[in-house]
Amino acid sequence: MNIYTGRGDDGQTDLRTMDRVSKASHRIEAYGTVDELNAVVGTTRPAEYDDLESKLREIQNHLHIVQADFANPDPDEDDPKIEAEHVERLESWIDEYDEELEPLTSFILPSGGDLGSSLHYARTICRRAERRAVALAGEEEINETAVTYLNRLSDALFVFGRVANARDDVPEESPTY
């Protein structure tokens, strides 16, 4: 398989259906931003905490499914797609880790140790991916559960960042106004 084909030199790319679309389309923006998010999550691995490591690995696989979901405007029943169980898994992780944390009393600055800061950065890209997915959903029919997944994932990444900072004994900082 050649890495380069030249097929995209004209600013067009193929969807899973082999339809050609502009690389600037909402669909390409949506799954391209999910790809960026997946790569940034990959930079947080290997995480120094085995429990976070395994969850981040699983999230990367989920994100690959979201990409496949968004790349396919005409999915078959057996095509990969994000489902409610993926969202529920994130929610259970959020609940589990939230018990480890002090309750939030104010906004916090997205900072901390290496892992915590990286997870906060991933959260911001996740929010952008969600915005791109919402823009796509405004134009075309998509799997709405994938949008819900991205929304919940940003919450999970926020909590993971807080957990990493707490475990690293890095205090959270609130903004001053």
Short mmCIF file of all heavy atoms in Angstrom, two decimals, residues 3-4 12 15 33 36 54 64 83 85 87-88 90 94 98 105 119 128 133 148-149 152 157 169:
data_model
loop_
_atom_site.label_atom_id
_atom_site.label_comp_id
_atom_site.label_asym_id
_atom_site.label_seq_id
_atom_site.Cartn_x
_atom_site.Cartn_y
_atom_site.Cartn_z
N ILE A 3 1.74 5.07 0.68
CA ILE A 3 1.30 6.11 1.60
C ILE A 3 0.75 7.29 0.81
O ILE A 3 -0.23 7.90 1.19
CB ILE A 3 2.46 6.55 2.52
CG1 ILE A 3 2.93 5.38 3.38
CG2 ILE A 3 2.06 7.75 3.37
CD1 ILE A 3 1.86 4.80 4.28
N TYR A 4 1.38 7.62 -0.29
CA TYR A 4 0.89 8.73 -1.10
C TYR A 4 0.28 8.20 -2.39
O TYR A 4 0.74 7.23 -2.97
CB TYR A 4 2.02 9.73 -1.42
CG TYR A 4 3.16 9.13 -2.21
CD1 TYR A 4 3.16 9.17 -3.60
CD2 TYR A 4 4.24 8.53 -1.57
CE1 TYR A 4 4.20 8.61 -4.32
CE2 TYR A 4 5.28 7.98 -2.28
CZ TYR A 4 5.26 8.02 -3.66
OH TYR A 4 6.27 7.47 -4.38
N GLN A 12 -9.57 17.34 -2.74
CA GLN A 12 -10.69 16.42 -2.54
C GLN A 12 -10.17 15.16 -1.85
O GLN A 12 -8.99 14.84 -1.93
CB GLN A 12 -11.29 16.02 -3.90
CG GLN A 12 -11.83 17.17 -4.73
CD GLN A 12 -13.20 17.60 -4.26
OE1 GLN A 12 -14.10 16.78 -4.15
NE2 GLN A 12 -13.36 18.88 -3.99
N LEU A 15 -14.61 9.52 0.85
CA LEU A 15 -15.30 9.02 2.03
C LEU A 15 -15.29 7.51 1.96
O LEU A 15 -14.86 6.91 0.98
CB LEU A 15 -16.74 9.55 2.06
CG LEU A 15 -16.89 11.06 2.20
CD1 LEU A 15 -18.35 11.46 2.10
CD2 LEU A 15 -16.28 11.54 3.51
N THR A 33 -10.78 16.42 13.07
CA THR A 33 -10.55 16.93 14.41
C THR A 33 -10.57 15.79 15.43
O THR A 33 -9.80 15.80 16.40
CB THR A 33 -11.56 18.03 14.77
OG1 THR A 33 -11.53 19.04 13.74
CG2 THR A 33 -11.24 18.68 16.10
N GLU A 36 -7.19 14.37 15.24
CA GLU A 36 -6.26 15.19 16.01
C GLU A 36 -6.40 14.89 17.51
O GLU A 36 -5.39 14.74 18.22
CB GLU A 36 -6.54 16.67 15.75
CG GLU A 36 -5.66 17.63 16.52
CD GLU A 36 -6.03 19.08 16.32
OE1 GLU A 36 -6.98 19.39 15.55
OE2 GLU A 36 -5.36 19.93 16.93
N SER A 54 -5.13 2.34 30.88
CA SER A 54 -6.06 1.42 30.22
C SER A 54 -7.29 2.15 29.68
O SER A 54 -7.79 1.83 28.61
CB SER A 54 -6.46 0.28 31.16
OG SER A 54 -7.25 0.76 32.22
N HIS A 64 -11.34 6.09 17.27
CA HIS A 64 -11.18 5.52 15.93
C HIS A 64 -12.56 5.13 15.37
O HIS A 64 -12.83 5.31 14.18
CB HIS A 64 -10.23 4.32 15.97
CG HIS A 64 -9.73 3.93 14.65
ND1 HIS A 64 -8.76 4.65 13.97
CD2 HIS A 64 -10.07 2.90 13.83
CE1 HIS A 64 -8.53 4.08 12.81
NE2 HIS A 64 -9.31 3.02 12.71
N GLU A 83 -22.00 3.72 20.30
CA GLU A 83 -23.33 3.39 20.82
C GLU A 83 -23.46 3.87 22.25
O GLU A 83 -22.49 4.31 22.88
CB GLU A 83 -23.54 1.88 20.72
CG GLU A 83 -23.41 1.42 19.27
CD GLU A 83 -23.95 0.03 19.01
OE1 GLU A 83 -24.83 -0.40 19.77
OE2 GLU A 83 -23.48 -0.59 18.05
N GLU A 85 -23.65 2.38 24.97
CA GLU A 85 -22.78 1.70 25.95
C GLU A 85 -21.43 2.39 26.07
O GLU A 85 -20.83 2.40 27.15
CB GLU A 85 -22.59 0.23 25.60
CG GLU A 85 -21.78 0.00 24.34
CD GLU A 85 -21.73 -1.45 23.91
OE1 GLU A 85 -22.75 -2.13 23.96
OE2 GLU A 85 -20.63 -1.88 23.51
N VAL A 87 -20.95 5.67 25.78
CA VAL A 87 -21.23 6.85 26.60
C VAL A 87 -21.38 6.44 28.07
O VAL A 87 -20.82 7.09 28.96
CB VAL A 87 -22.50 7.58 26.10
CG1 VAL A 87 -22.86 8.74 27.03
CG2 VAL A 87 -22.32 8.05 24.66
N GLU A 88 -22.10 5.36 28.30
CA GLU A 88 -22.31 4.88 29.67
C GLU A 88 -20.99 4.50 30.34
O GLU A 88 -20.81 4.72 31.54
CB GLU A 88 -23.28 3.70 29.66
CG GLU A 88 -24.69 4.11 29.30
CD GLU A 88 -25.58 2.95 28.89
OE1 GLU A 88 -25.16 1.77 29.01
OE2 GLU A 88 -26.72 3.21 28.44
N LEU A 90 -18.07 5.90 29.76
CA LEU A 90 -17.44 7.16 30.17
C LEU A 90 -18.08 7.70 31.44
O LEU A 90 -17.39 8.16 32.35
CB LEU A 90 -17.56 8.20 29.05
CG LEU A 90 -16.71 7.99 27.81
CD1 LEU A 90 -17.06 9.05 26.77
CD2 LEU A 90 -15.23 8.02 28.13
N ILE A 94 -16.29 8.62 34.96
CA ILE A 94 -16.38 9.94 35.57
C ILE A 94 -16.84 9.82 37.02
O ILE A 94 -16.24 10.40 37.93
CB ILE A 94 -17.32 10.86 34.76
CG1 ILE A 94 -16.71 11.18 33.39
CG2 ILE A 94 -17.61 12.15 35.54
CD1 ILE A 94 -17.70 11.82 32.41
N ASP A 98 -14.58 10.81 40.17
CA ASP A 98 -15.05 11.98 40.88
C ASP A 98 -15.04 11.73 42.39
O ASP A 98 -14.82 12.66 43.17
CB ASP A 98 -16.46 12.35 40.40
CG ASP A 98 -16.73 13.82 40.48
OD1 ASP A 98 -15.78 14.62 40.33
OD2 ASP A 98 -17.90 14.19 40.72
N THR A 105 -15.21 23.99 43.73
CA THR A 105 -15.91 25.14 44.31
C THR A 105 -15.81 26.36 43.40
O THR A 105 -16.45 27.37 43.67
CB THR A 105 -15.35 25.47 45.70
OG1 THR A 105 -13.95 25.74 45.58
CG2 THR A 105 -15.58 24.32 46.67
N LEU A 119 -3.92 16.20 29.58
CA LEU A 119 -5.32 15.79 29.56
C LEU A 119 -6.25 17.00 29.45
O LEU A 119 -7.26 16.94 28.75
CB LEU A 119 -5.64 14.95 30.79
CG LEU A 119 -5.01 13.56 30.76
CD1 LEU A 119 -5.03 12.92 32.15
CD2 LEU A 119 -5.70 12.66 29.74
N ARG A 128 -13.59 21.07 20.62
CA ARG A 128 -13.59 21.52 19.22
C ARG A 128 -14.15 20.42 18.32
O ARG A 128 -14.94 20.69 17.41
CB ARG A 128 -12.18 21.93 18.77
CG ARG A 128 -12.18 22.40 17.32
CD ARG A 128 -10.96 23.22 16.93
NE ARG A 128 -9.75 22.94 17.63
CZ ARG A 128 -8.79 22.12 17.21
NH1 ARG A 128 -8.93 21.47 16.08
NH2 ARG A 128 -7.69 21.95 17.91
N ALA A 133 -18.58 18.33 15.00
CA ALA A 133 -19.61 17.30 14.82
C ALA A 133 -21.00 17.93 14.82
O ALA A 133 -21.86 17.53 14.02
CB ALA A 133 -19.49 16.24 15.92
N THR A 148 -22.86 12.94 21.46
CA THR A 148 -23.00 12.75 22.91
C THR A 148 -21.71 12.18 23.50
O THR A 148 -21.26 12.61 24.56
CB THR A 148 -24.18 11.81 23.22
OG1 THR A 148 -25.37 12.37 22.65
CG2 THR A 148 -24.37 11.62 24.71
N TYR A 149 -21.11 11.22 22.79
CA TYR A 149 -19.86 10.62 23.25
C TYR A 149 -18.78 11.70 23.40
O TYR A 149 -18.08 11.75 24.42
CB TYR A 149 -19.39 9.52 22.30
CG TYR A 149 -18.10 8.89 22.75
CD1 TYR A 149 -18.10 7.85 23.67
CD2 TYR A 149 -16.87 9.37 22.31
CE1 TYR A 149 -16.91 7.30 24.13
CE2 TYR A 149 -15.68 8.83 22.76
CZ TYR A 149 -15.70 7.80 23.67
OH TYR A 149 -14.53 7.27 24.13
N ARG A 152 -19.43 13.86 26.47
CA ARG A 152 -19.10 13.16 27.70
C ARG A 152 -17.60 12.93 27.82
O ARG A 152 -17.05 12.98 28.92
CB ARG A 152 -19.84 11.83 27.78
CG ARG A 152 -20.15 11.40 29.16
CD ARG A 152 -21.15 12.34 29.86
NE ARG A 152 -22.49 12.01 29.44
CZ ARG A 152 -23.27 12.78 28.66
NH1 ARG A 152 -22.86 13.95 28.23
NH2 ARG A 152 -24.47 12.40 28.31
N LEU A 157 -12.15 13.67 30.27
CA LEU A 157 -10.77 14.15 30.18
C LEU A 157 -10.50 15.22 31.24
O LEU A 157 -9.41 15.28 31.81
CB LEU A 157 -10.48 14.68 28.77
CG LEU A 157 -10.44 13.60 27.69
CD1 LEU A 157 -10.43 14.24 26.30
CD2 LEU A 157 -9.25 12.66 27.86
N ASP A 169 0.12 15.35 43.32
CA ASP A 169 0.19 16.36 44.38
C ASP A 169 0.43 17.75 43.81
O ASP A 169 1.20 18.55 44.36
CB ASP A 169 1.26 15.98 45.42
CG ASP A 169 1.00 16.64 46.76
OD1 ASP A 169 -0.17 16.94 47.06
OD2 ASP A 169 1.98 16.87 47.49
#
